[in-house]
Amino acid sequence: MRMYDLIEKKKNGFPLSTDEIQWMINGYTKEQIPDYQMSAMLMAICFQGMNEQETLDLTLAMRDSGEVLDLSAVHGIKVDKHSTGGVGDKTTLVLTPIVAALGVPVAKMSGRGLGHTGGTIDKLECFTGFRTDISRKQFFENVNAIGIAVAGQTASLAPADKKLYALRDVTATVAQMSLIASSIMSKKLASGSDAIVLDVKTGNGAFMQKKEDAVRLAETMVKIGTMAGKKMAALVTDMSQPLGNMVGNSLEVIEAIEALRGNGSKDLMDDVYALGAQMLLLAGCAGNEKEAYDSMQSVVKDKRALDKFAEMVEAQGGDKRQVYDTDLLAKAKLKLPVNAKEDGYISSMDTADIGIACMTLGGGRETKESAIDLSVGIELKKKVGDQVKRGEVLAYLYANDEKKAETARDIVANAYHYGASEVMKPQTIHAVITADGHLGKR
Ligand code: URA
């Protein structure tokens, strides 16, 4: 086989066979196919697309490019959760201790933030001493002992995706449906859980900006997971504004802890409970949605979920006093207001720009190697649908550098748009998709 011929075939709109895809991914992982040929292939895929069979073949080839975790040492039905990424998305921090407190074993591999989106691993490192690089043995022991462990994704899982993702990032080939679906699902299938719940974000802070594209992505991933033998569900949820009110690592940890104390914002808790319900149903820990919601609300109310979170922090070497007293977490030196430029209703927000403002403050990475300032970020006091008066505080910046804060202030101020008439707040859950079809668009 020659890579040249495969590029030509895809360029002309013909599907690649299972053998061809396996050969290509194997050769690329082993560095037998150069980046320039793979870049041409990625661009051809962006223009010509891939059919269902090709997307499945690509996913399985990338899954098999490295280790496939065997979680049989962990007792019970293991349910993983994955978000396609957004701004202010601290759902994992709230959701996983809730379901773990209800008996769902959580053995989760998470990533770091990149670009305008945040990552769970950075957030957990806000706790002094917290280790996300625990050994495989420790990981299994923690899940069996306390029901939850969240570790960093190891390089041995789906290495083909790691290489391809880095190439896509610099060749404008990230936002293609089959490439996104296979990238996410190869890692999830390699992580070894029995069931997977996906949170597919849509809106101007997400990769899939249009709702119909997000639904198609969710359906594709549910189909791939089902064909690979996993129990699957996906939600399409809103990212037309940041989730919750805090953006930035330690600020999001504080917001997550407040949510576990029963003080979460409506949009955050809508997302948490909708995902949690699917996790409990797939794990067989609830008979129906109502039962799932009742039990999740009860472990928040009686603080069992908060205690489970503290247990996980301690078991991974972190200082659990910081869970019960968030004043002990890193704090930025400056708190500066961003004021409204006009009277009116907030009609929309440039969500990705809020993430970029957080990066500008030092809270995000330009490259995977960049160091980040965990204490900086943005507290949103106004979101879409809120009425404001000119000069009123829209948001506070938490910063350690006045110059960076000046730039971030302009970005945040310009990310808000105003209208004269009342605007509906966006709904959080747009669709629920299960292996046997849509449960409904909301
Ligand atoms: N997240 C991933 O892991 N891969 C993509 O392609 C997009 C989002």
Side-chain angles (χ1 to χ4, degrees):
M1 250 181 252
R2 290 195 319 155
M3 188 62 180
Y4 181 94
D5 299 328
L6 301 194
I7 297 168
E8 184 76 11
K9 190 172 176 186
K10 181 46 72 184
K11 186 183 80 176
N12 291 323
F14 295 104
L16 301 175
S17 71
T18 305
D19 283 351
E20 286 167 340
I21 289 174
Q22 278 171 357
W23 177 86
M24 174 175 82
I25 293 302
N26 193 26
Y28 185 60
T29 312
K30 292 187 177 145
E31 312 214 327
Q32 291 157 352
I33 293 171
D35 279 348
Y36 56 82
Q37 282 190 313
M38 189 50 93
S39 305
M41 174 60 84
L42 290 171
M43 195 53 84
I45 292 171
C46 283
F47 283 112
Q48 296 291 1
M50 279 186 137
N51 65 27
E52 217 168 75
Q53 184 62 46
E54 289 176 287
T55 310
L56 176 66
D57 290 338
L58 181 60
T59 308
L60 300 183
M62 292 205 292
R63 176 197 66 182
D64 296 336
S65 66
E67 186 186 10
V68 177
L69 264 191
D70 176 5
L71 291 186
S72 55
V74 176
H75 316 307
I77 299 177
K78 280 76 66 183
V79 188
D80 202 352
K81 170 260 168 189
H82 183 84
S83 159
T84 57
V87 180
D89 185 1
K90 67 284 294 175
T91 310
T92 294
L93 299 179
V94 189
L95 170 63
T96 54
I98 291 177
V99 298
L102 290 166
V104 178
V106 176
K108 181 151 176 49
M109 300 273 176
S110 283
R112 293 192 182 278
L114 186 66
H116 74 274
T117 65
T120 301
I121 290 300
D122 295 324
K123 291 170 201 170
L124 286 170
E125 285 179 351
C126 291
F127 295 102
T128 311
F130 193 97
R131 293 203 35 217
T132 53
D133 60 347
I134 53 175
S135 68
R136 200 58 58 76
K137 183 166 169 285
Q138 182 80 61
F139 183 70
F140 290 155
E141 277 173 12
N142 287 8
V143 185
N144 281 332
I146 62 168
I148 181 168
V150 181
Q153 190 123 14
T154 61
S156 61
L157 292 191
D161 174 62
K162 201 164 196 259
K163 243 171 102 58
L164 263 184
Y165 193 90
L167 189 62
R168 288 166 59 210
D169 212 17
V170 292
T171 54
T173 54
V174 169
Q176 200 283 334
M177 220 266 307
S178 292
L179 296 177
I180 295 178
S182 57
S183 165
I184 292 173
M185 288 307 293
S186 63
K187 288 177 286 215
K188 292 290 107 184
L189 296 179
S191 304
S193 56
D194 307 300
I196 301 163
V197 176
L198 300 165
D199 187 2
V200 180
K201 300 287 183 198
T202 185
N204 61 15
F207 287 119
M208 289 286 128
Q209 306 218 340
K210 288 197 217 131
K211 187 163 130 187
E212 55 272 28
D213 292 340
V215 169
R216 220 156 59 81
L217 174 63
E219 287 170 341
T220 303
M221 293 196 289
V222 166
K223 225 177 250 178
I224 291 172
T226 307
M227 286 196 273
K230 305 291 178 188
K231 296 185 186 192
M232 295 294 303
L235 266 67
V236 175
T237 69
D238 194 66
M239 194 35 72
S240 66
Q241 58 178 350
L243 188 64
N245 300 318
M246 299 291 201
V247 179
N249 292 290
S250 69
L251 293 174
E252 290 187 44
V253 167
I254 293 168
E255 184 174 22
I257 291 169
E258 274 309 307
L260 287 168
R261 288 195 177 121
N263 307 320
S265 64
K266 181 173 178 334
D267 60 345
L268 175 60
M269 296 320 286
D270 282 351
D271 199 18
V272 164
Y273 286 141
L275 289 163
Q278 294 305 320
M279 291 177 84
L280 290 170
L281 289 170
L282 293 184
C285 290
N288 54 49
E289 270 199 41
K290 163 138 191 8
E291 212 179 291
Y293 273 78
D294 287 348
S295 51
M296 288 187 287
Q297 281 158 354
S298 77
V299 293
V300 170
K301 195 157 179 223
D302 66 16
K303 309 286 186 287
R304 266 189 290 159
L306 180 69
D307 291 342
K308 185 55 73 184
F309 185 64
E311 250 184 291
M312 178 192 70
V313 168
E314 187 170 45
Q316 292 189 225
D319 183 352
K320 82 167 182 184
R321 290 173 308 164
Q322 292 171 311
V323 175
Y324 295 107
D325 181 0
T326 53
D327 282 343
L328 299 173
L329 290 164
K331 290 271 172 332
K333 285 191 303 220
L334 307 166
K335 180 180 176 184
L336 306 163
V338 181
N339 303 100
K341 292 181 178 180
E342 297 176 29
D343 287 342
Y345 292 89
I346 304 301
S347 57
S348 66
M349 289 175 76
D350 296 328
T351 311
D353 285 351
I354 301 288
I356 289 166
C358 181
M359 278 178 77
T360 307
L361 291 168
R365 281 187 188 79
E366 302 283 351
T367 71
K368 280 216 155 86
E369 286 70 39
S370 318
I372 55 174
D373 184 343
L374 295 170
S375 67
V376 299
I378 301 148
E379 178 181 7
L380 303 167
K381 303 303 281 184
K382 301 288 176 191
K383 289 180 49 174
V384 175
D386 289 335
Q387 192 174 15
V388 293
K389 291 247 165 290
R390 187 162 182 266
E392 206 179 337
V393 175
L394 292 173
Y396 286 105
L397 304 177
Y398 292 79
N400 286 316
D401 179 311
E402 273 179 41
K403 266 220 166 87
K404 289 179 181 171
E406 284 287 297
T407 313
R409 192 202 300 261
D410 285 344
I411 299 173
V412 173
N414 291 329
Y416 280 88
H417 301 283
Y418 305 80
S421 46
E422 216 169 316
V423 178
M424 290 267 287
K425 288 187 186 293
Q427 64 189 90
T428 307
I429 313 297
H430 293 298
V432 183
I433 292 147
T434 58
D436 39 22
H438 286 233
L439 284 184
K441 285 185 193 161
R442 313 249 159 132

